[in-house]
Amino acid sequence: MRLFLSRLHFPVTTLGPGRRVGIWFQGCSLHCPGCISVDTWAHGQGETTVAEVMRTISLWLAEADGITLSGGEPFEQVDALQALLETLRREIGPGKDLLIYSGQPWEKIAPHLARWPGLADAVISDPFLRSAPQTLAWRGSDNQRLHLLSPLGHERYTAWQHALREALPKALDVCFEGDTLWMAGIPDPGSLALIQRTLAEAGYASTATDGSLEGPSSISVPVFA
Ligand code: SF4
């Protein structure tokens, strides 16, 4: 099964509990105003296969507490998402949860998840809403809902359903790939601009629209779906 991904990474510590494998889907047509993952909007890039994904992440699974699938919009590749979830569930072993971020309303994705019992443990649904407060743990805006779908999901996420982001360490995952620097996590309002200013002061050129910096290095921010 082919699919289009933006990136794979381990460890991700800011999008779900513990040290996680991060799988970012490529392609999102929702275009939420204020999205800082604009680099994941374009469709048709990053073609790979479920088998190739599994080959890459197999190196990390023994140390991972769970897997976070984000984007981009995972449900815009719904057949590939199902195939990937089926393979992950079969191969990752017990005790590792599968968390999906989707910008779609829960009511739209729930029918898919109802057909996939046991494949996902938790889902954070709904689009990023720039005007909404940003107080809840692991959510980019407070309109986003955390759904618990399995016993493991309940065990691991119940305490977080209404928990405030203050309960978590103030952190972003910062990663270097060649001459590119990118971040995962959910920055506080305004902190992305501060990061851009800081990098600009260090001599990195900045582009205005997508939170990325271009020049000798760049920063991309694949954060909340
Ligand atoms: S916030 Fe998520 S759902 Fe919204 S446009 Fe960005 S990638 Fe798409």
Side-chain angles (χ1 to χ4, degrees):
M1 170 69 75
R2 71 173 190 161
L3 70 167
F4 297 88
L5 297 184
S6 169
R7 58 168 47 93
L8 303 167
H9 187 73
F10 178 80
V12 176
T13 64
T14 54
L15 297 171
R19 287 160 51 86
R20 311 181 65 83
V21 174
I23 300 176
W24 282 270
F25 281 66
Q26 179 68 37
C28 179
S29 59
L30 298 176
H31 295 192
C32 307
C35 170
I36 53 174
S37 304
V38 174
D39 58 314
T40 67
W41 283 8
H43 292 87
Q45 300 176 1
E47 182 170 354
T48 184
T49 63
V50 170
E52 187 56 40
V53 172
M54 295 309 296
R55 263 194 293 279
T56 301
I57 72 171
S58 65
L59 304 170
W60 306 325
L61 283 176
E63 296 179 52
D65 298 300
I67 296 179
T68 296
L69 300 94
S70 186
E73 175 45 54
F75 284 85
E76 289 187 4
Q77 301 179 57
V78 71
D79 293 337
L81 174 61
Q82 179 180 357
L84 180 60
L85 288 170
E86 286 171 347
T87 306
L88 288 169
R89 185 52 86 204
R90 195 169 58 240
E91 298 192 15
I92 61 175
K96 301 180 196 298
D97 71 90
L98 293 170
L99 167 66
I100 307 173
Y101 279 80
S102 171
Q104 300 280 5
W106 170 250
E107 292 71 18
K108 185 165 181 182
I109 60 175
H112 295 296
L113 291 155
R115 287 194 293 275
W116 308 339
L119 290 191
D121 297 295
V123 171
I124 293 177
S125 69
D126 301 292
F128 171 63
L129 196 56
R130 184 164 47 186
S131 59
Q134 189 188 52
T135 66
L136 295 174
W138 295 322
R139 275 152 281 190
S141 53
D142 286 357
N143 60 303
Q144 295 177 323
R145 293 169 283 178
L146 170 56
H147 310 269
L148 314 181
L149 305 180
S150 72
L152 180 59
H154 281 270
E155 177 189 317
R156 203 160 279 181
Y157 288 89
T158 295
W160 294 104
Q161 225 167 358
H162 304 291
L164 299 179
R165 54 190 283 127
E166 300 163 0
L168 294 166
K170 194 177 173 84
L172 295 170
D173 294 302
V174 178
C175 315
F176 293 89
E177 289 175 352
D179 64 355
T180 298
L181 179 154
W182 66 274
M183 290 183 296
I186 301 177
D188 286 340
S191 62
L192 190 62
L194 175 64
I195 292 165
Q196 282 185 288
R197 274 202 307 278
T198 304
L199 288 171
E201 285 166 12
Y204 295 100
S206 170
T207 57
T209 56
D210 66 355
S212 69
L213 303 180
E214 294 180 347
S217 295
S218 67
I219 181 171
S220 59
V221 188
V223 193
F224 30 79

